[in-house]
Amino acid sequence: MDDRWTVAGRTFRSRLIVGTGKYASFEENAAALEASGAEIVTVAVRRVNISDPGQPLLTDYIDPKRFTYLPNTAGCFTAEEAVRTLRLAREAGGWDLVKLEVLGEAKTLYPDMRETLKATETLVREGFKPMVYCVDDPIAAKQLEEAGAVAIMPLGAPIGSGLGIQNRVTIRLIVEGAGVPVLVDAGVGTASDATVAMELGCDGVLMNTAIAEAKSPVLMARAMKAAVEAGRLAYRAGRMGQRRYADPSSPLAGLI
């Protein structure tokens, strides 16, 4: 079954997106990426070296011709910072498909939605195609879509927390109301969390810490690949209805 998904006119097979932070080495990062089967990798422009040949380059380990680089604005706290960061990324690598996140403060790393919306509008005017990290709020998600976001990326839980999907209701409402792809971004801790996101109908899941901080990142990457695939299959299959009481698999009438 061909079950690909499309964002900003680009089509992918894998519905798992992985990051490039917190790994012990570029080698470990590359090995985990291979195990995950992901085709898109996020790159924090302010933290990961992609242009200074005097230092180890991520591009030496993860081939940008083979994988789609998704520059992101991790560490930006204003719309101005985020837009400037992505302009630099476009100059460095020609990227226009980008991940936007504008944080409100350092403790929770929750997005500042006023600044996020402002940055989205600016980026769209300048020809960028932003996939946008946001709160799990259906109204905010729709506003971002109307502003030109090519994908909506609500948090499942705070960044790096590993707490899993905390509000299934709002994620489901965002999925139901969206006309663009929806991907859970942040909060995934283990494989079952990724499966839940996919069972809710999300188009994909983005994660970094859940893989990078596992005792075996490569093994966890394999687990996440399987989890995303299982959750997507379950969503397409359509789960059975939930009942308050038992319902036997075999009929009780006509027993010997």
Side-chain angles (χ1 to χ4, degrees), residues 88-163:
L88 291 171
R90 183 159 62 182
E91 287 296 317
W95 297 292
D96 59 358
L97 181 64
V98 296
K99 182 198 165 190
L100 172 67
E101 59 182 72
V102 185
L103 306 175
E105 45 82 39
K107 182 178 180 180
T108 65
L109 300 181
Y110 258 59
D112 181 326
M113 292 311 301
R114 180 172 56 185
E115 291 292 293
T116 297
L117 183 59
K118 186 192 305 183
T120 300
E121 292 169 342
T122 300
L123 291 169
V124 170
R125 284 197 302 270
E126 295 187 8
F128 286 94
K129 299 169 183 177
M131 300 171 67
V132 186
Y133 168 66
C134 62
V135 293
D136 55 338
D137 174 4
I139 305 303
K142 182 54 66 174
Q143 290 172 341
L144 289 171
E145 182 180 339
E146 292 170 350
V150 298
I152 304 301
M153 307 181 79
L155 56 83
I159 291 174
S161 68
L163 292 171

Side-chain angles (χ1 to χ4, degrees), residues 26-247:
F26 282 150
E27 290 91 345
E28 183 179 70
N29 192 173
L33 176 57
E34 287 288 347
S36 75
E39 298 166 287
I40 305 176
V41 58
T42 62
V43 180
V45 179
R46 302 183 74 184
R47 296 174 182 156
V48 177
N49 181 30
I50 54 174
S51 59
D52 181 3
Q55 300 293 327
L57 286 163
L58 179 67
T59 51
D60 291 336
Y61 298 86
I62 298 175
D63 186 356
K65 294 180 181 178
R66 182 181 170 203
F67 298 98
T68 296
Y69 273 41
L70 186 66
N72 72 38
T73 57
C76 292
F77 289 85
T78 67
E80 183 180 0
E81 274 187 307
V83 171
R84 182 171 62 249
T85 297
L86 292 176
R87 286 171 181 160
L88 291 171
R90 183 159 62 182
E91 287 296 317
W95 297 292
D96 59 358
L97 181 64
V98 296
K99 182 198 165 190
L100 172 67
E101 59 182 72
V102 185
L103 306 175
E105 45 82 39
K107 182 178 180 180
T108 65
L109 300 181
Y110 258 59
D112 181 326
M113 292 311 301
R114 180 172 56 185
E115 291 292 293
T116 297
L117 183 59
K118 186 192 305 183
T120 300
E121 292 169 342
T122 300
L123 291 169
V124 170
R125 284 197 302 270
E126 295 187 8
F128 286 94
K129 299 169 183 177
M131 300 171 67
V132 186
Y133 168 66
C134 62
V135 293
D136 55 338
D137 174 4
I139 305 303
K142 182 54 66 174
Q143 290 172 341
L144 289 171
E145 182 180 339
E146 292 170 350
V150 298
I152 304 301
M153 307 181 79
L155 56 83
I159 291 174
S161 68
L163 292 171
I165 310 300
Q166 293 297 295
N167 198 330
R168 301 186 186 192
V169 173
T170 52
I171 298 295
R172 177 180 55 79
L173 289 173
I174 290 171
V175 169
E176 289 178 357
V180 296
V182 176
L183 301 92
V184 161
D185 176 12
V188 169
T190 191
S192 57
D193 301 330
T195 300
V196 167
M198 297 307 298
E199 288 176 344
L200 290 171
C202 290
D203 295 276
V205 183
L206 188 153
M207 65 185 71
N208 183 76
T209 306
I211 296 176
E213 289 193 355
K215 292 180 180 178
S216 172
V218 174
L219 195 57
M220 183 60 81
R222 287 178 56 195
M224 291 301 186
K225 176 183 179 181
V228 168
E229 291 173 352
R232 176 63 182 172
L233 285 173
Y235 173 74
R236 292 184 65 192
R239 66 158 294 149
M240 61 167 283
Q242 293 177 308
R243 305 182 178 95
R244 294 183 63 188
Y245 302 103
D247 185 40

Side-chain angles (χ1 to χ4, degrees), residues 6-20:
T6 300
V7 59
R10 306 183 193 190
T11 301
F12 302 94
R13 293 182 300 276
S14 174
R15 293 172 179 270
L16 175 60
I17 300 175
V18 300
T20 51

